[in-house]
Amino acid sequence: MLSKNDIERLFREHYSAMYRLAFAMLADDEDARDAVSDVFARLLDGYDTESINLNYLLICVRGQCLNRISRMKVKERASRMLLPDTETVLSDICEEDKTAEKVWEFVDTELTEKSRGILRKRYMENMSCIDIANEMGISRQAVHKHILSALNRMRERFHKK
């Protein structure tokens, strides 16, 4: 059985390496500290001092981390896997949604009814230009002209900055 002094010595010598491994696996400061603490708590149960080295302790930490991960709910595991940059990506998506909202507001207020209808059919309903032309009783070239005219007006409006 390890004495308190032996456990303290192992703690001082190897805690930082053990913590780094746990943090890399769990991505959470508190969980990483708990995993390392659990390993040292198990040492209090009694092991031969000669056989305990850094490799053994790292294997124990890895096992603790894997146990913690397997006990997590699926949703928590998924959220842990998300990188910190995910919030930035999500805010970019929200910003793109706001821009799209502004564009469609422009379409609704600044374009003619015919151009508005053509753009909605083309970009919201994914209709082909030929199908739009047939449905509206106009030529395919007229559909293209309405789309190009509307896109040019949007470029002027939104790319002034």
Side-chain angles (χ1 to χ4, degrees), residues 6 31-32 62 68 81 85-87 95 106-107 110 119:
D6 292 333
D31 281 346
R62 181 179 175 271
R68 286 174 179 279
M81 288 181 182
D85 291 26
T86 303
E87 289 182 19
E95 192 61 38
F106 174 81
V107 169
E110 302 293 325
L119 285 178

mmCIF file of all heavy atoms in Angstrom, residues 6 31-32 62 68 81 85-87 95 106-107 110 119:
data_model
loop_
_atom_site.group_PDB
_atom_site.id
_atom_site.type_symbol
_atom_site.label_atom_id
_atom_site.label_comp_id
_atom_site.label_asym_id
_atom_site.label_seq_id
_atom_site.Cartn_x
_atom_site.Cartn_y
_atom_site.Cartn_z
ATOM 1 N N ASP A 6 4.167 8.923 -0.518
ATOM 2 C CA ASP A 6 4.366 8.409 -1.879
ATOM 3 C C ASP A 6 3.333 8.993 -2.841
ATOM 4 O O ASP A 6 3.666 9.377 -3.964
ATOM 5 C CB ASP A 6 4.267 6.879 -1.898
ATOM 6 C CG ASP A 6 5.424 6.199 -1.175
ATOM 7 O OD1 ASP A 6 6.512 6.806 -1.119
ATOM 8 O OD2 ASP A 6 5.216 5.077 -0.675
ATOM 9 N N ASP A 31 -13.912 18.570 -15.198
ATOM 10 C CA ASP A 31 -13.911 17.128 -15.444
ATOM 11 C C ASP A 31 -12.493 16.575 -15.498
ATOM 12 O O ASP A 31 -12.232 15.465 -15.026
ATOM 13 C CB ASP A 31 -14.644 16.804 -16.752
ATOM 14 C CG ASP A 31 -16.157 16.819 -16.588
ATOM 15 O OD1 ASP A 31 -16.639 16.809 -15.437
ATOM 16 O OD2 ASP A 31 -16.856 16.836 -17.623
ATOM 17 N N ALA A 32 -11.580 17.338 -16.080
ATOM 18 C CA ALA A 32 -10.190 16.885 -16.163
ATOM 19 C C ALA A 32 -9.593 16.750 -14.764
ATOM 20 O O ALA A 32 -8.938 15.742 -14.449
ATOM 21 C CB ALA A 32 -9.370 17.864 -17.013
ATOM 22 N N ARG A 62 -6.395 7.997 -18.816
ATOM 23 C CA ARG A 62 -7.105 7.722 -20.068
ATOM 24 C C ARG A 62 -8.350 6.879 -19.803
ATOM 25 O O ARG A 62 -9.434 7.152 -20.312
ATOM 26 C CB ARG A 62 -6.171 7.005 -21.037
ATOM 27 C CG ARG A 62 -6.806 6.690 -22.369
ATOM 28 C CD ARG A 62 -5.790 5.985 -23.296
ATOM 29 N NE ARG A 62 -6.413 5.573 -24.513
ATOM 30 C CZ ARG A 62 -7.019 4.398 -24.694
ATOM 31 N NH1 ARG A 62 -7.067 3.512 -23.712
ATOM 32 N NH2 ARG A 62 -7.583 4.103 -25.845
ATOM 33 N N ARG A 68 -15.767 8.457 -18.210
ATOM 34 C CA ARG A 68 -16.587 9.669 -18.104
ATOM 35 C C ARG A 68 -17.294 9.967 -19.421
ATOM 36 O O ARG A 68 -18.460 10.317 -19.438
ATOM 37 C CB ARG A 68 -15.729 10.870 -17.697
ATOM 38 C CG ARG A 68 -15.316 10.854 -16.264
ATOM 39 C CD ARG A 68 -14.351 11.990 -15.948
ATOM 40 N NE ARG A 68 -13.998 11.954 -14.556
ATOM 41 C CZ ARG A 68 -14.757 12.447 -13.583
ATOM 42 N NH1 ARG A 68 -15.862 13.055 -13.859
ATOM 43 N NH2 ARG A 68 -14.371 12.340 -12.328
ATOM 44 N N MET A 81 -17.877 17.908 -28.375
ATOM 45 C CA MET A 81 -17.093 17.770 -29.598
ATOM 46 C C MET A 81 -17.063 19.055 -30.405
ATOM 47 O O MET A 81 -16.178 19.252 -31.219
ATOM 48 C CB MET A 81 -17.647 16.643 -30.461
ATOM 49 C CG MET A 81 -17.385 15.280 -29.915
ATOM 50 S SD MET A 81 -18.069 14.084 -31.048
ATOM 51 C CE MET A 81 -17.719 12.591 -30.204
ATOM 52 N N ASP A 85 -14.772 27.448 -31.828
ATOM 53 C CA ASP A 85 -15.047 28.281 -32.993
ATOM 54 C C ASP A 85 -16.478 28.101 -33.504
ATOM 55 O O ASP A 85 -16.924 28.863 -34.346
ATOM 56 C CB ASP A 85 -14.085 27.945 -34.126
ATOM 57 C CG ASP A 85 -12.670 28.380 -33.809
ATOM 58 O OD1 ASP A 85 -12.350 28.470 -32.611
ATOM 59 O OD2 ASP A 85 -11.913 28.632 -34.742
ATOM 60 N N THR A 86 -17.173 27.103 -33.017
ATOM 61 C CA THR A 86 -18.519 26.845 -33.478
ATOM 62 C C THR A 86 -19.427 28.040 -33.238
ATOM 63 O O THR A 86 -20.268 28.358 -34.063
ATOM 64 C CB THR A 86 -19.094 25.604 -32.767
ATOM 65 O OG1 THR A 86 -18.221 24.522 -33.018
ATOM 66 C CG2 THR A 86 -20.468 25.276 -33.278
ATOM 67 N N GLU A 87 -19.232 28.717 -32.105
ATOM 68 C CA GLU A 87 -20.056 29.898 -31.843
ATOM 69 C C GLU A 87 -19.852 30.943 -32.923
ATOM 70 O O GLU A 87 -20.791 31.595 -33.356
ATOM 71 C CB GLU A 87 -19.729 30.479 -30.468
ATOM 72 C CG GLU A 87 -20.212 29.612 -29.340
ATOM 73 C CD GLU A 87 -19.920 30.218 -27.984
ATOM 74 O OE1 GLU A 87 -19.682 31.427 -27.900
ATOM 75 O OE2 GLU A 87 -19.956 29.461 -27.007
ATOM 76 N N GLU A 95 -25.809 35.817 -39.243
ATOM 77 C CA GLU A 95 -25.576 37.047 -40.006
ATOM 78 C C GLU A 95 -25.989 36.859 -41.456
ATOM 79 O O GLU A 95 -26.596 37.735 -42.066
ATOM 80 C CB GLU A 95 -24.100 37.459 -39.914
ATOM 81 C CG GLU A 95 -23.823 38.849 -40.412
ATOM 82 C CD GLU A 95 -24.573 39.926 -39.635
ATOM 83 O OE1 GLU A 95 -24.708 39.813 -38.411
ATOM 84 O OE2 GLU A 95 -25.031 40.879 -40.282
ATOM 85 N N PHE A 106 -35.906 43.549 -49.866
ATOM 86 C CA PHE A 106 -35.661 44.396 -51.044
ATOM 87 C C PHE A 106 -36.470 43.893 -52.235
ATOM 88 O O PHE A 106 -37.099 44.668 -52.958
ATOM 89 C CB PHE A 106 -34.162 44.405 -51.379
ATOM 90 C CG PHE A 106 -33.825 45.126 -52.651
ATOM 91 C CD1 PHE A 106 -33.713 46.507 -52.670
ATOM 92 C CD2 PHE A 106 -33.629 44.429 -53.832
ATOM 93 C CE1 PHE A 106 -33.406 47.181 -53.846
ATOM 94 C CE2 PHE A 106 -33.314 45.089 -54.997
ATOM 95 C CZ PHE A 106 -33.207 46.465 -55.008
ATOM 96 N N VAL A 107 -36.452 42.586 -52.452
ATOM 97 C CA VAL A 107 -37.216 41.989 -53.551
ATOM 98 C C VAL A 107 -38.686 42.331 -53.415
ATOM 99 O O VAL A 107 -39.339 42.730 -54.391
ATOM 100 C CB VAL A 107 -37.004 40.454 -53.594
ATOM 101 C CG1 VAL A 107 -37.989 39.782 -54.533
ATOM 102 C CG2 VAL A 107 -35.570 40.129 -53.990
ATOM 103 N N GLU A 110 -38.902 46.620 -53.648
ATOM 104 C CA GLU A 110 -38.264 47.436 -54.683
ATOM 105 C C GLU A 110 -38.411 46.907 -56.103
ATOM 106 O O GLU A 110 -38.115 47.631 -57.049
ATOM 107 C CB GLU A 110 -36.763 47.595 -54.365
ATOM 108 C CG GLU A 110 -36.482 48.220 -53.017
ATOM 109 C CD GLU A 110 -36.908 49.673 -52.934
ATOM 110 O OE1 GLU A 110 -36.791 50.391 -53.940
ATOM 111 O OE2 GLU A 110 -37.371 50.077 -51.855
ATOM 112 N N LEU A 119 -38.185 35.792 -59.556
ATOM 113 C CA LEU A 119 -37.127 35.463 -58.591
ATOM 114 C C LEU A 119 -37.590 34.427 -57.574
ATOM 115 O O LEU A 119 -36.849 33.504 -57.215
ATOM 116 C CB LEU A 119 -36.644 36.714 -57.865
ATOM 117 C CG LEU A 119 -35.739 37.648 -58.666
ATOM 118 C CD1 LEU A 119 -35.383 38.867 -57.837
ATOM 119 C CD2 LEU A 119 -34.491 36.939 -59.126
#
